[in-house]
Amino acid sequence: MHDPGGAIRVLHVDDDPDLADLTATYLQRQNDRIAVETAIGADEALDRLDDGVDCIVADYEMPGCSGIELLETVRADYPDLPFILYTGKGSEEIASDAISAGVTDYLQKEGGTSQYAVLANRVVNAVEAVRSEQLLARRTRRLERLIDNLPGMVYRCRNEPDWPMETVEGEVEELTGYEADTLERGDVIWGEEILHPADREEMWERVQASIADEGTFEVNYRIRTRDGETRWMWERGRGVYEDGDLIAIEGFITDVTEREHREKRLEETTARLEALFEQSPDMINVHDAEGTIYEPNARLCEKLGYEREALIGMKVWEIDCSIDSESAAEIWARMEPGDSRRFEGEYERADGSTFPVEVHIRRIDGDDEPLYAVISRDISERRQRERDLERVREEYEELIDGMNDTVWVISTDAEFLAVNDAAVERLGYSREELLEMGPHDIDPETDPDEISALIEGMLEDGTQVFETVHETRDGERIPVEISSSPIRYRDETVILSVGRDISARKERERRLERFASIVSHDLRNPLNVAEGRLELAAEECNSEHLGHVGDAHERMNALIDSLLSLAREGELAADPAPVDVADVVESAWATVATGDAELRVAVEGTIAADRSRLSQLFENLFRNAVEHGSTTSQTESDDAVEHGAADDGTQPGDVAPGPGVTVTVGELDGGFFVADDGPGVPENERESVFETGYSTGEGIGFGLPIVEQVAEAHGWSVRLVESEGGGARFEFTGVDGR
């Protein structure tokens, strides 16, 4: 891999030979620099890496070894080889895993052939970037050898305000960005293009004065490099004389930018520390190993009521009446440089009154003696607040005990004030332990700053509802939905937080994500092959049938997108609008393999619904009724909607429905129904049919759960009862417009 513009060898890894062959065809047609070889599966790909490959393009989901696992194996031996994950299974989790494993690029498969132009462009960009980096690395190594030999530049120039250079050698280009000969020829003038404008006049005056006095000079100044960067230079030079006349200047220049920045940062840090010391809201003093205070800050003087001069020279136990000289000396003797201690004490003011403090002491040795920095904070209000909180905790617990969901009362400082019995039982901590904790201690996914922001948002906007995870004492992670609201109790604002276990819902979402994976990988790949082959066929012949095939592909893509949206996003009613129910019913019936089944439409008017989702609902119910009303054996109809997802790739002709079933769509008060006169559903199973994965056969069980979710997304209620003919009757109520 040398020439950035040379030929590119691509190894395409996929478990689908047809898709791999099609991808190779289109990539080579997009760019004649690309030569594609295919490998079916990860094992074959690994065997061919030593043959010389410029880029790997791999699917994600393959038997035996996923695309991420292949990437990790490749990275072990070929850390810089471009690797593009080209997959039909796209999710934020997969993208994150790919990035962590060192993927070069990530591209999700789409419908149509335009995706191959994008893929070819990604391949070329990735390979050219690596080749350019390799060229740059070789040049950098040569440059580093030169830099090791000379850490700056030497020069000879005329003693004129523009400092025109006669000779320059060394790291000229590294320092200035200009080549040495451009300075020597006069194409670039040091005093005009390089020396910083703000330093030119001062530089001239200082150099002339130094040469006149001592014949030599030493200066620091700024330059502007060719690319506009400002750098600091240190220069030492001397005058060159002939017959007593100054004819030139010779010297050495080196880059001291980092040193200047370091000194500036040190000055700024020192100034900030001094300001913090004096302006700190905490009380600060520095004392020696004898306990003698010699550096108090303004806050300590103010709180104790002493003048600064009076505090200097006092002993620490003269202001902290909770310790004596012996116990203090024992603490200090056990502290090594850098060690710190924390304890609570009692400070005494100049007038004899006292107040509680929290004390932090750290050993910070000086040049020739141990020193101790003490930072103290008045905790009078905290002590009073603790007493008040202890008093009201019992009152809070009386309010929230007995509720089934976990309930907490949280202070606006994000501390637990009270917890109910359900929280104690589910999290595994004692009540006393929980009251020493806060929300961030049981929520590993939300840091304290986020919790503080949530509380602030509640105080401003009211109730907040969000999902998170609670971790039990045993390390179990429980997904929960939190509803938190600010309430006013005994003249105090607190947060009442109720947590509901949503483990079952999360498991249902996981199964939906698995379904999305099946749709994305097992349906999208063959559909991409079909679309590609159709386009190639259209180039070779002209047939009226090809257009119908293309329409079918478009419909299949739309159905797949619809299912993916359902499984991954839940956006089931994105755009409700007035729709004619009878029209949608007739259209949906036409898309289902109905055989000898009969449709009766007894509904009129319009309702507010998303037409695409409503059509999906009817298609699922029609296919379910027709296939379960069939006299055909189960083995002939494994993919009935009740046993699998609608729009899952089933084509007309895949099912052989039996005769006689009649499907009726009629009106209800506040809605509509879909009924059939088939065998029906046993009463003890009618609730189960809406559960994701429920099946009486070998299907994957997504059809009727989709019906329920479409209804819920519209705000409708659905229930399954027995029809007049003894079959199934699905009733939808709460429908706007009916």
Side-chain angles (χ1 to χ4, degrees), residues 19 86-88 107-116 118 524-525 527-529 531 557 561:
L19 182 60
Y86 179 52
T87 177
L107 184 63
Q108 188 172 350
K109 295 176 183 177
E110 300 177 350
T113 60
S114 61
Q115 59 184 316
Y116 299 111
V118 177
R524 188 75 81 183
N525 276 4
L527 183 55
N528 282 344
V529 172
E531 289 177 324
N557 268 313
D561 290 341

Side-chain angles (χ1 to χ4, degrees), residues 138 140-150:
R138 289 197 296 274
T140 301
R141 286 193 294 271
R142 290 195 298 267
L143 184 58
E144 287 173 346
R145 288 194 295 270
L146 177 60
I147 291 174
D148 289 340
N149 293 329
L150 186 65

